[in-house]
Amino acid sequence: MNAPRYGRRRSAFTLLEMMLSLALIGLLMVGLNTFVFSMSELWGRNREPRLFDQHVRAVTRFLDRELRAAALPPVAATGSSAFIPRNIRNDTGLSEDLLVFELTEGSRLLNWPERPLPEAICALAVRRDEGLVLLWHSRLEVDFDEDPPRETVITPLVTALAYEYFDPTFSKWESRPELRRGTTGTLEVPQRLRLTFTYQNLVRETVIPIPGATEGVPVY
């Protein structure tokens, strides 16, 4: 009985098959490299706007937390505001009307040899060519009543600070570059702050509510 006959088994690719395989792999690598480099170019092109937006969000969250901390008891008694408009004399000898608040536990931005000083009286202001600065000094300092507050730069990218007041009569917001004076001439506490961030041709605005200053303000 004759054994069954099978065809000869191929042990290797032909030269034509190898050339086709190499050509396909080459096309695949070219396409992959083109995709990777195009994504890298797109990522790099959008890098600055993304970093700028991250910075804006980080500064806004930080200030929102600090203002909320200032409104906590015992600083803010029931029915009173933790934010007081006051005329402040800066280190140049000039005075300006600013919104003052107290951070009883201090803040990580308050430069001090050891831990940040508690009972810090603070205010926010915008300086040309400097940005948003935090004015502060502690009640625990010996010359608290005589010396002007220190100034710590929070971010150099804030170019404007506006105070916003809600008008319940006309149901609209009024934005002012300075604190508003009422009919009696006294400075009024705003309901929120508006910050303008600028970097090259990028501009962003954020709004931070003033905790406790909600009378007549719509909830949204």
Side-chain angles (χ1 to χ4, degrees):
M1 184 176 179
N2 295 329
R5 301 177 66 182
Y6 297 94
R8 179 177 294 179
R9 191 170 183 177
R10 298 173 57 186
S11 59
F13 294 104
T14 65
L15 179 59
L16 179 60
E17 289 173 332
M18 292 182 64
M19 293 179 64
L20 288 175
S21 299
L22 291 174
L24 289 174
I25 293 175
L27 290 174
L28 180 62
M29 293 302 296
V30 170
L32 182 61
N33 287 338
T34 301
F35 172 76
V36 170
F37 285 124
S38 63
M39 288 300 296
S40 300
E41 183 182 0
L42 181 63
W43 184 269
R45 188 185 306 128
N46 293 330
R47 186 169 182 267
E48 288 192 348
R50 286 186 294 101
L51 292 177
F52 178 60
D53 288 336
Q54 289 176 6
H55 179 78
V56 170
R57 289 193 296 269
V59 171
T60 302
R61 286 196 298 267
F62 168 77
L63 291 176
D64 184 64
R65 287 196 302 267
E66 297 297 274
L67 295 184
R68 290 181 184 277
L72 294 175
V75 176
T78 303
S80 63
S81 175
F83 303 89
I84 303 173
R86 185 179 299 169
N87 187 264
I88 302 295
R89 180 174 60 87
N90 57 41
D91 56 2
T92 65
L94 301 177
S95 60
E96 51 191 334
D97 295 330
L98 300 174
L99 192 63
V100 175
F101 54 94
E102 181 173 351
L103 298 175
T104 56
E105 301 297 327
S107 172
R108 58 187 175 85
L109 288 185
L110 308 185
N111 300 323
W112 201 253
E114 299 178 3
R115 61 184 295 270
L117 285 178
E119 299 183 33
I121 307 302
C122 306
L124 296 171
V126 172
R127 298 280 186 262
R128 185 176 180 180
D129 299 327
E130 291 186 52
L132 181 67
V133 299
L134 179 70
L135 288 79
W136 65 276
H137 53 170
S138 172
R139 296 183 188 275
L140 303 182
E141 296 182 61
V142 176
D143 298 323
F144 172 77
D145 294 324
E146 291 77 23
D147 291 345
R150 299 175 180 82
E151 296 190 5
T152 299
V153 176
I154 297 177
T155 171
L157 301 184
V158 170
T159 54
L161 167 65
Y163 303 96
E164 298 200 336
Y165 299 85
F166 183 73
D167 186 346
T169 303
F170 299 98
S171 297
K172 67 177 184 179
W173 288 93
E174 177 189 11
S175 184
R176 303 173 61 95
E178 70 287 325
L179 291 168
R180 187 176 69 181
R181 291 188 178 273
T183 55
T184 60
T186 57
L187 296 170
E188 298 181 339
V189 178
Q191 281 82 33
R192 62 189 194 184
L193 304 176
R194 180 176 293 274
L195 298 177
T196 301
F197 294 78
T198 305
Y199 175 71
Q200 295 181 356
N201 62 335
L202 302 173
V203 178
R204 302 286 188 272
E205 289 189 347
T206 60
V207 173
I208 304 174
I210 302 296
T214 57
E215 184 178 356
V217 180
V219 178
Y220 57 83

